[in-house]
């Protein structure tokens, strides 16, 4: 099934990179097949690690649990369409900064498939359209629920927001800890910060500094 889906995406000129959303290429039944394939692949992985999944009471159902976790939770942003985002006209011509955050970020490093945990802050000076504040949380969860590197995920989130409401100014800041660095490798607990500034937040130092000062006291 995975090969069939990949061939279909290639034929239609799409891609299936780790942080791509491929929902437009999937039929309703495909997600179940992907989960079944993932479960079998996990059985093979555990076997390769010389783990007795037939007699070890702790790992008998591990492959099934991991497959469900990857497809339905951790990487759902690859397989599910964008959550419904209703936008509204900016009737009052709001032209001041509003911010949302800290939004919890839960993602996974595409290099080692281990968690990235942190927070995001979004700042907007609206143009003609606005969206409800909870929609920024839903959009963040959707973008981050994929194998990612933080630099690219920050840009992806900014792109999605800009496409939806085309604000006069847009800022996205993400600060997160990477278990690929703290759990393994150098085993250091430092965090990484990334930011995208567009429109007035990029061109106007005063607007940018105002946004940064607003979120300064909200850092975890």
């Amino acid at each position: 099934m995975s090969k069939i889906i990949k061939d279909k995406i290639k034929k239609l000129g799409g891609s299936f990179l780790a942080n791509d959303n491929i929902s437009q290429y999937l039929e309703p039944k495909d997600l179940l097949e992907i989960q079944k394939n993932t479960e079998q692949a996990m059985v093979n992985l555990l076997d390769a690690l010389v783990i007795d999944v037939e007699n070890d009471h702790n790992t008998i159902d591990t492959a099934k649990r991991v497959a469900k976790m990857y497809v339905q939770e951790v990487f759902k942003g690859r397989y599910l369409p964008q959550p419904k985002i209703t936008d509204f006209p900016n009737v009052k011509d709001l032209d001041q900064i509003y911010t949302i955050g800290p939004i919890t970020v839960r993602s996974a490093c595409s290099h080692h498939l281990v968690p990235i945990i942190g927070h995001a802050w979004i700042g907007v000076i609206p143009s003609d359209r606005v969206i409800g504040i909870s929609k920024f949380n839903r959009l963040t969860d959707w973008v981050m629920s994929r194998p990612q590197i933080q630099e690219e995920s920050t840009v992806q989130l900014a792109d999605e927001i800009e496409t939806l409401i085309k604000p006069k100014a847009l800022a996205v800041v993400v600060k997160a800890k990477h278990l690929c660095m703290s759990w393994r490798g150098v085993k250091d607990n430092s965090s990484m910060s990334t930011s995208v500034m567009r429109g007035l937040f990029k061109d106007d130092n005063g607007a940018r500094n105002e946004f940064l000062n607003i979120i300064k006291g909200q850092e975890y």
Side-chain angles (χ1 to χ4, degrees):
M1 177 55 67
S2 294
K3 184 179 186 306
I4 293 172
I5 296 171
K6 287 189 286 187
D7 288 344
K8 178 181 179 181
I9 295 173
K10 289 177 182 177
K11 186 176 180 179
L12 293 172
S15 65
F16 45 93
L17 304 179
N19 62 358
D20 280 337
N21 178 273
I22 60 171
S23 60
Q24 67 194 90
Y25 306 108
L26 300 178
E27 302 293 334
K29 61 181 176 59
D30 291 342
L31 214 53
L32 181 59
E33 291 300 320
I34 290 172
Q35 188 169 318
K36 288 180 179 177
N37 288 349
T38 304
E39 180 179 341
Q40 184 55 55
M42 280 304 307
V43 169
N44 295 337
L45 174 61
L46 293 169
D47 183 61
L49 291 170
V50 197
I51 295 175
D52 185 354
V53 296
E54 295 179 358
N55 300 296
D56 181 357
H57 62 283
N58 288 319
T59 57
I60 288 175
D61 290 322
T62 293
K64 181 181 295 185
R65 286 191 293 265
V66 172
K68 181 180 179 182
M69 176 189 72
Y70 278 150
V71 176
Q72 296 188 27
E73 299 177 76
V74 183
F75 298 156
K76 65 183 179 183
R78 298 197 74 236
Y79 307 115
L80 301 180
Q82 184 189 95
K84 184 174 178 57
I85 308 290
T86 304
D87 61 307
F88 306 94
N90 184 7
V91 176
K92 298 294 185 179
D93 293 324
L94 302 173
D95 61 356
Q96 300 299 308
I97 297 172
Y98 67 91
T99 68
I100 302 91
I103 301 170
T104 300
V105 166
R106 300 180 186 88
S107 192
C109 168
S110 53
H111 296 160
H112 295 94
L113 300 185
V114 295
I116 297 172
I117 304 294
H119 292 91
W121 293 262
I122 297 169
V124 169
I125 299 177
S127 183
D128 297 329
R129 310 294 294 181
V130 295
I131 60 176
I133 59 173
S134 68
K135 302 305 186 289
F136 290 101
N137 300 63
R138 294 181 187 276
L139 201 59
T140 300
D141 181 59
W142 180 67
V143 169
M144 295 298 175
S145 295
R146 310 170 194 180
Q148 289 279 15
I149 64 169
Q150 184 176 324
E151 303 94 307
E152 291 179 357
S153 66
T154 308
V155 174
Q156 278 188 316
L157 180 54
D159 288 345
E160 294 291 345
I161 297 169
E162 191 163 35
T163 298
L164 282 168
I165 57 174
K166 298 178 175 58
K168 293 178 182 177
L170 172 63
V172 178
V173 173
V174 177
K175 183 177 181 181
K177 295 181 183 293
H178 295 236
L179 266 69
C180 60
M181 188 168 69
S182 61
W183 189 34
R184 57 162 300 280
V186 296
K187 296 183 178 178
D188 185 85
N189 201 38
S190 56
S191 60
M192 178 182 186
S193 296
T194 49
S195 67
V196 173
M197 302 287 170
R198 293 180 181 171
L200 289 176
F201 287 144
K202 181 178 180 180
D203 301 330
D204 187 321
N205 289 338
R208 180 171 61 254
N209 290 335
E210 183 178 349
F211 164 74
L212 293 173
N213 285 331
I214 289 171
I215 70 169
K216 187 175 181 180
Q218 300 174 352
E219 293 190 14
Y220 68 101

